[in-house]
């Protein structure tokens, strides 16, 4: 039950290493899926700890007639662990709600600010001197650009910049970042996934813009020039913190990736790089599989324990039969038996004599 809480220590480095060797689109999906899977296993493990400890409390066990001795576990450990799990789950829920509300508030504030200015299609120009451009999601999505950014770029680079921001809107990249942020709320060890995810999303938009413009060098110049012209302090004053912008992130790496020559050669042979990629993929799959299997196994064990405690925690209404196969219970159709039902079969071996079962219980 504790494995899902510790597995991000190994899974996050493996996911980051594997994402570096994948195309941007695949890397973004990999990092987001890894964050969701690890956060889900963490939440499930905390829920199981809370349930197992709560069932050890006599008032809770009495609600469903559970037998406390058959629940197993040490209440000295399970009950405090359940209290800690309840506190963590409550804090996670509050933080997740706060994060969602802040996200929607920032987008709504930015949407109201852009509504006050004229738009041309999906393009909204703000009369600010500070160069900035970003993709504002919504219905419809808008490419927001300041007058300062328009003055800083020539026409061909403006089109590349607009194509970059439209790629963010078309791919709904803000949802990837929001999902990673919510996963980090569930487990703080998942926070290192946000930086590589943001880089993968920017690279995804870069490649989409380059394919639409038809010139990778123009796209690289547009991103580089926009980053040089942008002033982060002035841009942050009116840009929401939850949106993506072309001038943010590791711009030199993105420009270098766009200017790198394309080599459509046949598949390379197995090299050390290919081997490291396979090792990272195998390690990540092993971490995710072990985390999910551990949570599922803990849930199955808890279910079986509760079922056993439920069966033997209340009087058995029915008939009992002794035979060579041991004790067998037969349900009664006419209410309560003459005397209370027998103890658990495991504690009473079958009698040595007799060929047929002896029925004791309901008068029919």
């Amino acid at each position: 039950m504790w494995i899902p809480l510790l597995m991000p220590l190994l899974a996050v480095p493996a996911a980051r290493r594997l994402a570096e060797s994948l195309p941007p689109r695949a890397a973004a999906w990999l990092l987001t899926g890894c964050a969701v899977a690890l956060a889900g296993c963490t939440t499930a493990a905390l829920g199981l700890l809370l349930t197992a400890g709560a069932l050890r409390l006599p008032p809770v066990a009495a609600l469903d007639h559970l037998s406390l001795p058959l629940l197993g576990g040490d209440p000295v450990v399970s009950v405090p662990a359940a209290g800690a799990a309840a506190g963590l789950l409550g804090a996670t829920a509050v933080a997740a709600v706060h994060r969602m509300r802040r996200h929607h508030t920032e987008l709504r504030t930015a949407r109201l600010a852009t509504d006050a200015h004229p738009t041309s299609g999906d393009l909204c120009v703000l009369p600010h001197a500070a160069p900035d451009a970003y993709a504002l999601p919504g219905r419809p999505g808008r490419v927001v650009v300041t007058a300062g950014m328009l003055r800083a770029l020539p026409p061909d680079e403006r089109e590349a910049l607009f194509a970059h921001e439209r790629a963010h809107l078309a791919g709904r990249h803000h949802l990837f970042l929001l999902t990673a942020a919510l996963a980090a709320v569930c487990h703080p060890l998942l926070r290192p996934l946000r930086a590589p995810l943001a880089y993968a999303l920017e690279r995804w938009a870069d490649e989409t813009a380059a394919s639409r413009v038809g010139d990778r060098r123009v796209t690289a110049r547009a991103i580089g020039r926009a980053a040089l012209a942008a002033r982060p302090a002035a841009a942050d004053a009116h840009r929401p913190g939850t949106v993506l912008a072309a001038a943010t992130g590791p711009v030199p790496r993105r420009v270098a990736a766009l200017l790198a020559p394309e080599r459509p050669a046949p598949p390379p042979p197995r090299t050390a790089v290919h081997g490291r990629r396979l090792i990272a993929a195998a390690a990540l799959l092993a971490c995710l599989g072990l985390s999910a299997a551990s949570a599922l196994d803990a849930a199955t064990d808890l279910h079986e324990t509760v079922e056993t405690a439920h069966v033997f925690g209340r009087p058995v209404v029915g008939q009992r039969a002794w035979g060579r196969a041991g004790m067998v219970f037969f349900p009664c159709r006419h209410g309560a038996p003459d005397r209370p039902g027998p103890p658990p079969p495991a504690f009473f071996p079958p009698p040595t004599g007799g060929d047929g079962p002896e029925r004791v219980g309901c008068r029919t």
Side-chain angles (χ1 to χ4, degrees):
M1 193 178 296
W2 300 96
I3 292 178
L5 304 179
L6 303 176
M7 195 52 64
L9 291 171
L10 300 176
V12 169
R16 289 170 60 98
R17 178 64 61 88
L18 182 59
E20 293 176 356
S21 60
L22 294 177
R25 184 189 183 109
W29 280 105
L30 170 73
L31 294 171
T32 306
C34 179
V36 170
L38 293 174
C41 292
T42 298
T43 305
L46 291 177
L48 291 172
L49 284 174
L50 172 60
T51 305
L55 291 176
R56 294 289 307 174
L57 299 175
V60 179
L63 293 177
D64 202 20
H65 305 283
L66 300 179
S67 176
L68 287 177
L70 293 179
L71 286 175
D74 188 359
V76 178
V77 177
S78 59
V79 174
L88 290 175
L89 286 175
T92 298
V94 172
V97 171
H98 175 72
R99 184 68 181 81
M100 289 287 295
R101 292 185 62 182
R102 189 178 71 177
H103 174 78
H104 290 294
T105 300
E106 290 181 353
L107 293 184
R108 184 173 61 252
T109 303
R111 173 70 62 171
L112 292 176
T114 57
D115 287 341
H117 301 282
T119 59
S120 176
D122 63 346
L123 183 63
C124 177
V125 180
L126 300 180
H128 299 309
D132 192 23
Y134 57 90
L136 181 61
R139 294 183 180 179
R142 291 176 181 173
V143 175
V144 182
V145 61
T146 63
M149 182 63 77
L150 294 179
R151 288 192 295 266
L153 300 178
D156 57 345
E157 295 180 9
R158 292 178 194 169
E159 293 301 323
L161 182 66
F162 297 159
H164 175 95
E165 303 302 344
R166 290 187 179 106
H168 283 316
L169 294 176
R172 303 181 68 83
H173 292 170
H174 67 287
L175 295 180
F176 287 81
L177 288 180
L178 178 61
T179 302
L182 293 177
V185 167
C186 296
H187 202 309
L189 292 179
L190 299 178
R191 290 177 182 173
L193 292 178
R194 190 192 186 283
L197 176 59
Y199 173 73
L201 294 174
E202 292 294 347
R203 285 283 301 118
W204 183 355
D206 291 343
E207 294 296 331
T208 304
S211 63
R212 290 182 180 177
V213 173
D215 193 331
R216 299 177 66 87
R217 299 186 66 86
V218 170
T219 306
R221 287 201 308 268
I223 294 171
R225 201 186 304 271
L228 292 174
R231 287 174 283 180
D236 292 342
H238 59 82
R239 182 204 304 161
T242 57
V243 300
L244 292 161
T248 58
V251 175
R253 286 181 60 192
R254 293 164 53 197
V255 172
L258 285 170
L259 296 179
E262 296 183 282
R263 299 176 180 176
R270 292 180 178 271
T271 60
V273 176
H274 186 67
R276 288 195 295 268
R277 181 187 301 180
L278 291 178
I279 293 175
L284 180 60
L285 289 176
C287 291
L288 294 178
L290 183 60
S291 181
S294 176
L296 183 60
D297 182 67
T300 303
D301 289 345
L302 180 62
H303 175 72
E304 293 177 352
T305 301
V306 170
E307 287 295 320
T308 303
H310 176 74
V311 170
F312 300 126
R314 61 171 58 187
V316 178
V317 179
Q319 300 173 335
R320 63 180 179 179
W322 294 94
R324 294 177 179 177
M327 180 181 290
V328 181
F329 290 89
F330 297 91
C332 177
R333 297 174 298 164
H334 304 281
D338 291 337
R339 53 186 178 183
F347 302 152
F348 287 81
T352 55
D355 295 332
E358 173 194 356
R359 299 177 179 265
V360 179
C362 176
R363 300 192 195 97
T364 57

